[in-house]
């Protein structure tokens, strides 16, 4: 009987502690969060003010009312971020935001509502707004992307991978208004790739082969342009003597 009584007392004590802790947590989640309760970690130099300007959060706000999923989507889109994680915390109390920024590897240009927008492009083909970058050493960027659109991200990523893998020296990537793709390579000059993104792997392989074939002779100096719109029928136009 004494043993059963001890078990009951212990269970009752645990129940009291559980109720107390849950009540404490509930009270904490109802507490208002202020700007000073935000903690930012990760890469990049974004400030609390940057986060406030690029989200719909209005402070003070009760912790429980912060929609972290929506906040993550807002910041990722508005600040051109690679990853955002937002968490409500009881101990220490507040809102913790972890940020991973994108690393530019090319200058970028896009058209929005007939207005030309300058920025940068990362290795995954994502556009980074100019105002969301700080202290970038632009002297290290040698590629320009013109006519960027969201639908071109995948093909840009493949081009950047090929550039590194095949030691290409691409200086410009241009998408026309209808999506016609043109590359400009240091030795091979202007290369027409056309409208079919499904051909890009074959086209990049041909570019690699041509680069290797011409690197030990001066033939590349005679090239005006290369047409790989149809990879099975490549055309090389040379300057007339």
């Amino acid at each position: 009987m004494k043993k059963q009584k001890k078990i009951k007392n212990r269970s009752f004590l645990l129940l009291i502690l559980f109720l107390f802790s849950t009540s404490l947590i509930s009270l904490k989640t109802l507490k208002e969060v202020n700007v000073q309760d935000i903690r930012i970690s990760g890469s990049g130099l974004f400030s609390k003010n940057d986060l406030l300007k690029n989200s719909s959060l209005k402070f003070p706000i009760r912790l429980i009312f912060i929609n972290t999923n929506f906040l993550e989507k807002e910041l990722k889109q508005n600040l051109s971020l690679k990853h955002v994680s937002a968490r409500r915390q009881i101990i220490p109390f507040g809102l913790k935001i972890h940020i991973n920024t994108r690393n530019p590897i090319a200058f970028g240009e896009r058209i929005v509502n007939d207005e030309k927008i300058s920025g940068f492009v990362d290795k995954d083909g994502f556009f980074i707004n100019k105002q969301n970058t700080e202290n970038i050493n632009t002297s290290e960027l040698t590629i320009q992307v013109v006519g960027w659109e969201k639908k071109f991200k995948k093909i840009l990523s493949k081009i950047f991978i090929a550039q590194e893998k095949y030691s290409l020296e691409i200086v410009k990537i241009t998408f026309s208004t209808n999506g016609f793709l043109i590359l400009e390579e240091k030795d091979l000059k202007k290369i027409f790739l056309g409208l079919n993104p499904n051909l890009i792997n074959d086209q990049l392989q041909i570019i690699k082969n041509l680069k290797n074939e011409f690197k030990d002779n001066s033939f590349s100096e005679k090239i005006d342009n290369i047409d790989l719109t149809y990879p099975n029928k490549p055309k090389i136009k040379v300057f007339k003597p």
Side-chain angles (χ1 to χ4, degrees):
M1 289 291 291
K2 286 185 177 180
K3 190 175 181 180
Q4 288 180 343
K5 190 173 182 181
K6 284 183 178 180
I7 292 173
K8 284 184 178 180
N9 289 339
R10 186 180 300 169
S11 299
F12 180 74
L13 180 60
L14 290 172
L15 178 61
I16 294 297
L17 289 173
F18 174 76
L19 292 173
F20 176 77
S21 60
T22 52
S23 297
L24 185 61
I25 291 172
S26 297
L27 288 173
K28 279 280 189 178
T29 59
L30 291 173
K31 186 179 175 182
E32 288 187 337
V33 177
N34 286 288
V35 176
Q36 62 266 27
D37 298 314
I38 300 175
R39 286 178 295 281
I40 304 171
S41 62
S43 59
L45 301 173
F46 291 107
S47 66
K48 294 179 182 180
N49 190 46
D50 292 324
L51 299 182
L52 293 177
K53 287 193 298 184
N54 289 279
S55 75
S56 56
L57 280 180
K58 302 296 180 184
F59 291 92
I61 181 175
R62 298 192 188 279
L63 185 64
I64 197 172
F65 293 148
I66 297 177
N67 186 333
T68 53
N69 289 333
F70 183 73
L71 177 61
E72 289 170 355
K73 290 177 182 177
E74 273 190 317
L75 295 177
K76 188 174 182 179
Q77 178 177 331
N78 296 339
L79 294 175
S80 307
L81 299 173
K82 188 169 187 177
H83 177 75
V84 184
S85 172
R87 289 194 303 160
R88 295 173 293 188
Q89 288 192 162
I90 302 300
I91 302 175
F93 177 80
L95 180 66
K96 183 176 181 180
I97 300 174
H98 185 83
I99 290 172
N100 287 332
T101 55
R102 296 188 178 277
N103 296 317
I105 65 168
F107 293 102
E109 183 183 290
R110 63 187 298 197
I111 303 296
V112 180
N113 297 326
D114 296 324
E115 180 184 355
K116 188 182 293 185
I117 306 295
S118 297
F120 303 93
V121 179
D122 78 344
K123 66 178 182 178
D124 297 318
F126 280 82
F127 191 88
I128 307 169
N129 292 323
K130 199 169 185 178
Q131 65 267 27
N132 295 333
T133 56
E134 292 186 22
N135 301 322
I136 291 179
N137 185 359
T138 57
S139 63
E140 297 179 359
L141 305 182
T142 58
I143 307 173
Q144 184 180 10
V145 178
V146 177
W148 183 96
E149 289 186 38
K150 189 176 182 180
K151 62 184 177 182
F152 299 140
K153 288 187 301 182
K154 189 174 181 180
I155 197 168
L156 281 169
S157 178
K158 288 184 177 182
I159 292 171
F160 293 142
I161 290 171
Q163 177 197 228
E164 184 174 352
K165 184 178 179 181
Y166 301 149
S167 298
L168 303 178
E169 297 176 271
I170 297 171
V171 294
K172 192 172 184 180
I173 304 169
T174 303
F175 295 94
S176 67
T177 53
N178 66 347
F180 193 96
L181 174 60
I182 302 172
L183 294 189
E184 292 182 40
E185 207 272 344
K186 183 179 177 182
D187 295 322
L188 301 179
K189 313 299 190 300
K190 188 172 289 188
I191 307 169
F192 300 106
L193 299 183
L195 295 164
N196 190 346
N198 296 322
L199 300 175
I200 189 63
N201 291 330
D202 292 336
Q203 291 167 328
L204 290 170
Q205 184 65 45
I206 294 172
I207 292 172
K208 170 210 169 187
N209 295 339
L210 292 174
K211 177 84 171 178
N212 291 337
E213 185 176 343
F214 298 149
K215 70 179 179 181
D216 295 326
N217 57 56
S218 59
F219 182 76
S220 62
E221 296 176 6
K222 303 175 184 179
I223 296 175
D224 179 28
N225 64 69
I226 298 173
D227 190 343
L228 297 179
T229 304
Y230 302 100
N232 57 338
K233 296 179 180 179
K235 299 176 182 177
I236 299 178
K237 182 179 178 181
V238 297
F239 290 106
K240 292 181 180 180

